[in-house]
Amino acid sequence: MTSASPNPAATGGDGKAVPVPRGEERAWFDGAREGRVALTRCRACGAWSTPRVVCPRCWSQDVEVATASGRGEIYSYTVLHRAGRPGFEADVPYVVALVTLDEGPRVMTTIVGVAPAEVRIGCRVRAEFVTRGGVAFPVFTPEPA
Amino acid sequence: MSALDRIAIVGAAESDIGHAPHLSPLGMMAQATARAADDAGLSIGDIDGVFVITPYHHLTSLSYCETLQIFPRYHDTTQLGGCTFVAYLRHAAAAIAAGMCEVAVIAYGSSQRSDAGKLVSASEVSTFEVPHGAAYPISSFALIAQRHMHEYGTTPEHLAEVAVAHRAWATLTPNAYYRDPITVEDVLASPMISSPLHRLDCCAVTDGGGAVIVTTKERARSLRRKPVHVLGGAEGYTHRTVAAMADLTISAGAQTGPAAFAEAGLAPADMDFVQLYDAFTISPLMILEDLGFCAKGEAGPLYASGRTRPGGDLPVNTNGGGLSYCHPGMLSLFLLIEAIRQLRGECGERQVANAEVGVVHGLGGAFAGAATAILARGD
């Protein structure tokens, strides 16, 4: 009998977990490696979503990977004063936020390039890309005023 | 006739709670079940339907039944998060009404205090959340709280008032985990964990198990206890990962609360008490709003007014709740048990006078799942 976690996560050299995407989930991370925020767009109704094989608005299976603008707005945020996961001890305080992308989907991300105390709901942000343990993902930073 | 009209709650008990290193999770479930069966005047061998979940046992109902050596004809291990036990009331009612079982037990146990002194969770972390270091579940609740503050002017002081009010009830509860009174200043001076939530905005982390026994109203007539009836109930959800919560300030309670009240033919103003899920201080504020006890944004001032405290006209979490009484990972079974005890008049110094009907509301995950039940004293 084998033992496998339902949520595998390798560990990067910095001790932080690295996601192990499966199937359609890979589009998000593969896009980030190329410097793109990759979403799913429905050919039937035009809705954008985080990676999926069935459109969550009209339930069409006619969907494609598409590149988003990489811009959005902070919908909410929290400043972590204690490490929320192993490996983040040296990062505190750090900002985890929900960003509503201009195409509609909302994602959890890290806000970088700004003092935590300066972060505000409604702040316009754009994507930057980080690679950890060979897996790339977007983080967001405030747009220049 | 609703399935809920067919059933009565006839037994309820907790295992040893708080710090119980002499009991495993299954041991707590077994002890609570034995106590609940005694309470009802039934034998464990009468149980023919089980509605159980614990994060410690992947095949929970099989592990639980093996421990007790019972072989029920109905199993349900639905997992909606911490609200699951309130949802199980409806599930049990449906199974009983369909004739698929007659004596149903709803049970839970967790040794998370003795294990680690911190939340033990079987929850996976979303692949898309893994890189960002959010603490689950507190950061999700923190994101919700921050947005509620932004939209409605809720303040850190309002959040702190929740912890203070629930602690005031715990001072009247002999076996509460935390019993020393606290102030708003104490909450705000406690370490910030994930802003805007401080240490004292977070629940206790305890051991604990519980069991509730449900059967037909007919069978309840021959049993030891005055029954408790379920007048209305509902379950729902809004999301799994907090990024998918369409509006961070509106929970699934806005679906389940009105639906449960409608089924009961009652309104929030008819409730003698509220038992609600309070893992973090933002939750009671949103739940009171979503269930219709006040308008959006008004729950902070409502708490600050003192109405929810002992002696107030809207008693909330009368044993101190998850913030002060006990919180062994999944809370709503303990909310149900406190509601049953209030309706039976067993609550001593914290007893709500003439408690005849009350509402229990659980949430699951990070304000993701929800279940509501309206309970009433039977004849």
Side-chain angles (χ1 to χ4, degrees):
Chain A
M1 179 171 172
T2 60
S3 172
S5 167
N7 50 319
T11 303
D14 53 6
K16 294 173 178 170
V18 175
V20 183
R22 296 180 173 110
E24 75 284 357
E25 297 169 352
R26 293 193 182 99
W28 175 257
F29 301 95
D30 290 349
R33 191 161 52 223
E34 299 164 1
R36 300 181 292 110
V37 172
L39 297 174
T40 294
R41 186 173 54 201
C42 177
R43 289 196 187 96
C45 79
W48 294 77
S49 61
T50 48
R52 277 176 168 80
V53 295
V54 175
C55 173
R57 186 165 79 184
C58 75
W59 303 307
S60 168
Q61 297 176 65
D62 187 13
V63 299
E64 62 184 351
V65 175
T67 300
S69 65
R71 291 186 152 76
E73 181 177 306
I74 295 177
Y75 177 64
S76 193
Y77 68 94
T78 179
V79 182
L80 282 102
H81 293 263
R82 293 190 184 179
R85 308 289 302 176
F88 285 80
E89 293 79 6
D91 293 11
V92 294
Y94 60 97
V95 182
V96 170
L98 298 177
V99 166
T100 307
L101 302 173
D102 287 353
E103 291 77 11
R106 189 178 297 149
V107 295
M108 180 179 283
T109 192
T110 309
I111 302 297
V112 300
V114 59
E118 302 301 315
V119 174
R120 295 288 180 272
I121 288 173
C123 178
R124 294 285 306 166
V125 291
R126 61 178 167 77
E128 294 185 351
F129 299 91
V130 172
T131 299
R132 179 183 302 150
V135 177
F137 54 88
V139 297
F140 285 78
T141 193
E143 296 247 38
Chain B
M1 180 186 248
S2 156
L4 293 177
D5 290 334
R6 304 280 294 276
I7 64 158
I9 297 169
V10 295
E14 292 166 349
S15 71
D16 299 344
I17 63 167
H19 188 222
H22 55 294
L23 293 172
S24 73
L26 288 173
M28 284 184 246
M29 295 172 86
Q31 185 188 61
T33 301
R35 290 175 177 175
D38 285 347
D39 181 58
L42 288 164
S43 161
I44 287 174
D46 291 323
I47 294 167
D48 63 355
V50 298
F51 299 76
V52 295
I53 190 76
T54 171
Y56 287 84
H57 292 277
H58 180 56
L59 307 179
T60 302
S61 72
L62 305 187
S63 299
Y64 169 81
C65 291
E66 178 186 281
T67 297
L68 292 173
Q69 283 297 295
I70 56 174
F71 299 87
R73 55 192 174 117
Y74 200 94
H75 295 253
D76 183 339
T77 61
T78 298
Q79 173 57 298
L80 299 171
C83 63
T84 296
F85 308 96
V86 178
Y88 280 163
L89 276 181
R90 294 174 80 237
H91 296 201
I96 290 169
M100 294 181 177
C101 62
E102 188 187 7
V103 177
V105 65
I106 298 168
Y108 177 71
S110 165
S111 57
Q112 65 172 27
R113 163 56 66 187
S114 293
D115 291 341
K118 61 182 184 181
L119 179 69
V120 173
S121 173
S123 181
E124 80 283 6
V125 180
S126 156
T127 300
F128 303 99
E129 295 184 1
V130 164
H132 303 295
Y136 184 84
I138 181 175
S139 292
S140 296
F141 284 89
L143 291 163
I144 289 167
Q146 191 76 257
R147 185 72 197 185
H148 198 275
M149 292 166 68
H150 174 77
E151 289 200 21
Y152 295 109
T154 298
T155 65
E157 289 77 10
H158 289 145
L159 296 170
E161 290 280 5
V162 174
V164 171
H166 293 202
R167 184 65 60 87
W169 282 106
T171 67
L172 306 178
T173 308
N175 63 335
Y177 197 72
Y178 294 119
R179 298 194 67 207
D180 295 333
I182 54 172
T183 65
V184 168
E185 291 70 30
D186 291 334
V187 179
L188 298 181
S190 65
M192 187 71 86
I193 308 293
S194 189
S195 71
L197 300 179
H198 306 78
R199 170 65 194 89
L200 289 178
D201 287 300
C202 303
C203 63
V205 176
T206 73
D207 300 329
V212 165
I213 296 178
V214 177
T215 188
T216 61
K217 281 184 174 168
E218 292 72 25
R219 186 145 181 186
R221 286 193 199 101
S222 66
L223 296 177
R224 179 182 294 161
R225 292 299 207 146
K226 289 276 190 196
V228 168
H229 294 160
V230 188
L231 304 184
E235 65 194 67
Y237 100 110
T238 47
H239 62 282
R240 173 66 180 97
T241 57
V242 70
M245 186 173 185
D247 183 333
L248 283 189
T249 68
I250 300 176
S251 76
Q255 309 162 30
T256 64
F261 283 121
E263 183 174 13
L266 295 170
D270 298 318
M271 297 297 107
D272 296 317
F273 60 79
V274 180
Q275 312 293 346
L276 53 70
Y277 207 107
D278 61 343
F280 301 98
T281 51
I282 182 61
S283 315
L285 300 184
M286 289 217 339
I287 291 169
L288 287 182
E289 293 167 359
D290 289 343
L291 265 57
F293 284 90
C294 61
K296 292 304 291 185
E298 290 183 2
L302 187 159
Y303 257 94
S305 76
R307 288 180 57 200
T308 73
R309 297 192 195 189
D313 70 322
L314 182 60
V316 177
N317 286 22
T318 52
N319 58 8
L323 287 165
S324 290
Y325 176 66
C326 83
H327 196 311
M330 297 171 77
L331 179 67
S332 73
L333 186 54
F334 303 88
L335 303 175
L336 270 180
I337 292 169
E338 175 66 5
I340 293 161
R341 289 174 169 170
Q342 285 286 348
L343 293 168
R344 290 171 168 183
E346 300 174 343
C347 289
E349 204 179 347
R350 70 181 190 279
Q351 179 65 46
V352 173
N354 303 315
E356 292 184 353
V357 61
V359 59
V360 181
H361 181 82
L363 61 78
F367 248 134
T372 310
I374 315 294
L375 303 189
R377 193 164 67 193
D379 304 317

